[in-house]
mmCIF file of all heavy atoms in Angstrom:
data_model
loop_
_atom_site.group_PDB
_atom_site.id
_atom_site.type_symbol
_atom_site.label_atom_id
_atom_site.label_comp_id
_atom_site.label_asym_id
_atom_site.label_seq_id
_atom_site.Cartn_x
_atom_site.Cartn_y
_atom_site.Cartn_z
ATOM 1 N N ARG A 360 165.288 69.171 -87.296
ATOM 2 C CA ARG A 360 165.896 69.930 -86.211
ATOM 3 C C ARG A 360 167.258 70.469 -86.623
ATOM 4 O O ARG A 360 167.646 71.567 -86.221
ATOM 5 C CB ARG A 360 166.026 69.045 -84.966
ATOM 6 C CG ARG A 360 166.459 69.777 -83.711
ATOM 7 C CD ARG A 360 166.437 68.843 -82.511
ATOM 8 N NE ARG A 360 167.413 67.770 -82.654
ATOM 9 C CZ ARG A 360 168.691 67.879 -82.332
ATOM 10 N NH1 ARG A 360 169.155 69.011 -81.839
ATOM 11 N NH2 ARG A 360 169.514 66.866 -82.476
ATOM 12 N N ASP A 361 167.979 69.709 -87.440
ATOM 13 C CA ASP A 361 169.326 70.118 -87.852
ATOM 14 C C ASP A 361 169.725 69.378 -89.129
ATOM 15 O O ASP A 361 170.580 68.491 -89.100
ATOM 16 C CB ASP A 361 170.327 69.823 -86.729
ATOM 17 C CG ASP A 361 171.732 70.334 -87.031
ATOM 18 O OD1 ASP A 361 171.872 71.161 -87.956
ATOM 19 O OD2 ASP A 361 172.684 69.907 -86.350
ATOM 20 N N PRO A 362 169.124 69.709 -90.268
ATOM 21 C CA PRO A 362 169.406 68.957 -91.499
ATOM 22 C C PRO A 362 170.865 69.031 -91.936
ATOM 23 O O PRO A 362 171.369 68.106 -92.573
ATOM 24 C CB PRO A 362 168.474 69.614 -92.535
ATOM 25 C CG PRO A 362 168.171 70.966 -91.974
ATOM 26 C CD PRO A 362 168.165 70.795 -90.486
ATOM 27 N N LYS A 363 171.557 70.115 -91.583
ATOM 28 C CA LYS A 363 172.951 70.263 -92.026
ATOM 29 C C LYS A 363 173.853 69.200 -91.418
ATOM 30 O O LYS A 363 174.865 68.823 -92.010
ATOM 31 C CB LYS A 363 173.443 71.672 -91.699
ATOM 32 C CG LYS A 363 172.728 72.762 -92.492
ATOM 33 C CD LYS A 363 173.228 74.141 -92.129
ATOM 34 C CE LYS A 363 172.510 75.195 -92.946
ATOM 35 N NZ LYS A 363 171.055 75.188 -92.741
ATOM 36 N N SER A 364 173.499 68.698 -90.236
ATOM 37 C CA SER A 364 174.314 67.650 -89.624
ATOM 38 C C SER A 364 174.193 66.333 -90.376
ATOM 39 O O SER A 364 174.997 65.422 -90.183
ATOM 40 C CB SER A 364 173.911 67.457 -88.159
ATOM 41 O OG SER A 364 172.598 66.918 -88.059
ATOM 42 N N TYR A 365 173.179 66.240 -91.248
ATOM 43 C CA TYR A 365 173.005 65.051 -92.091
ATOM 44 C C TYR A 365 173.560 65.273 -93.501
ATOM 45 O O TYR A 365 173.458 64.406 -94.358
ATOM 46 C CB TYR A 365 171.515 64.710 -92.206
ATOM 47 C CG TYR A 365 170.867 64.283 -90.904
ATOM 48 C CD1 TYR A 365 170.446 65.229 -89.980
ATOM 49 C CD2 TYR A 365 170.670 62.942 -90.610
ATOM 50 C CE1 TYR A 365 169.849 64.854 -88.790
ATOM 51 C CE2 TYR A 365 170.076 62.552 -89.418
ATOM 52 C CZ TYR A 365 169.669 63.522 -88.510
ATOM 53 O OH TYR A 365 169.094 63.142 -87.342
ATOM 54 N N GLY A 366 174.099 66.467 -93.736
ATOM 55 C CA GLY A 366 174.659 66.762 -95.046
ATOM 56 C C GLY A 366 173.682 67.408 -96.003
ATOM 57 O O GLY A 366 173.960 67.494 -97.203
ATOM 58 N N PHE A 367 172.531 67.889 -95.495
ATOM 59 C CA PHE A 367 171.541 68.533 -96.341
ATOM 60 C C PHE A 367 171.221 69.921 -95.784
ATOM 61 O O PHE A 367 171.257 70.143 -94.563
ATOM 62 C CB PHE A 367 170.243 67.713 -96.402
ATOM 63 C CG PHE A 367 170.387 66.413 -97.136
ATOM 64 C CD1 PHE A 367 170.760 65.259 -96.466
ATOM 65 C CD2 PHE A 367 170.165 66.346 -98.505
ATOM 66 C CE1 PHE A 367 170.898 64.047 -97.138
ATOM 67 C CE2 PHE A 367 170.300 65.141 -99.183
ATOM 68 C CZ PHE A 367 170.663 63.992 -98.507
ATOM 69 N N ARG A 368 170.863 70.831 -96.666
ATOM 70 C CA ARG A 368 170.484 72.169 -96.205
ATOM 71 C C ARG A 368 169.032 72.197 -95.762
ATOM 72 O O ARG A 368 168.694 72.831 -94.771
ATOM 73 C CB ARG A 368 170.705 73.201 -97.309
ATOM 74 C CG ARG A 368 170.268 74.601 -96.882
ATOM 75 C CD ARG A 368 170.506 75.644 -97.949
ATOM 76 N NE ARG A 368 169.974 76.939 -97.510
ATOM 77 C CZ ARG A 368 169.988 78.033 -98.257
ATOM 78 N NH1 ARG A 368 170.522 77.999 -99.467
ATOM 79 N NH2 ARG A 368 169.486 79.158 -97.784
ATOM 80 N N TYR A 369 168.164 71.528 -96.516
ATOM 81 C CA TYR A 369 166.732 71.586 -96.251
ATOM 82 C C TYR A 369 166.233 70.250 -95.678
ATOM 83 O O TYR A 369 166.942 69.255 -95.692
ATOM 84 C CB TYR A 369 165.956 71.873 -97.538
ATOM 85 C CG TYR A 369 166.548 72.968 -98.391
ATOM 86 C CD1 TYR A 369 167.206 72.673 -99.580
ATOM 87 C CD2 TYR A 369 166.454 74.293 -97.993
ATOM 88 C CE1 TYR A 369 167.760 73.685 -100.359
ATOM 89 C CE2 TYR A 369 167.008 75.301 -98.763
ATOM 90 C CZ TYR A 369 167.661 74.991 -99.952
ATOM 91 O OH TYR A 369 168.205 75.984 -100.706
ATOM 92 N N THR A 370 164.993 70.276 -95.213
ATOM 93 C CA THR A 370 164.300 69.037 -94.864
ATOM 94 C C THR A 370 163.211 68.822 -95.897
ATOM 95 O O THR A 370 162.298 69.636 -96.029
ATOM 96 C CB THR A 370 163.671 69.117 -93.459
ATOM 97 O OG1 THR A 370 164.687 69.423 -92.518
ATOM 98 C CG2 THR A 370 163.020 67.799 -93.089
ATOM 99 N N TRP A 371 163.307 67.726 -96.611
ATOM 100 C CA TRP A 371 162.384 67.454 -97.712
ATOM 101 C C TRP A 371 162.195 65.937 -97.774
ATOM 102 O O TRP A 371 162.854 65.233 -98.521
ATOM 103 C CB TRP A 371 162.948 67.998 -99.018
ATOM 104 C CG TRP A 371 162.030 67.911 -100.179
ATOM 105 C CD1 TRP A 371 160.672 67.814 -100.158
ATOM 106 C CD2 TRP A 371 162.403 67.937 -101.563
ATOM 107 N NE1 TRP A 371 160.162 67.774 -101.436
ATOM 108 C CE2 TRP A 371 161.201 67.845 -102.319
ATOM 109 C CE3 TRP A 371 163.616 68.022 -102.229
ATOM 110 C CZ2 TRP A 371 161.200 67.838 -103.699
ATOM 111 C CZ3 TRP A 371 163.609 68.020 -103.616
ATOM 112 C CH2 TRP A 371 162.412 67.932 -104.330
#
Side-chain angles (χ1 to χ4, degrees):
R360 188 175 65 84
D361 185 15
K363 294 179 179 60
S364 67
Y365 294 81
F367 291 89
R368 178 179 176 183
Y369 315 107
T370 303
W371 186 22

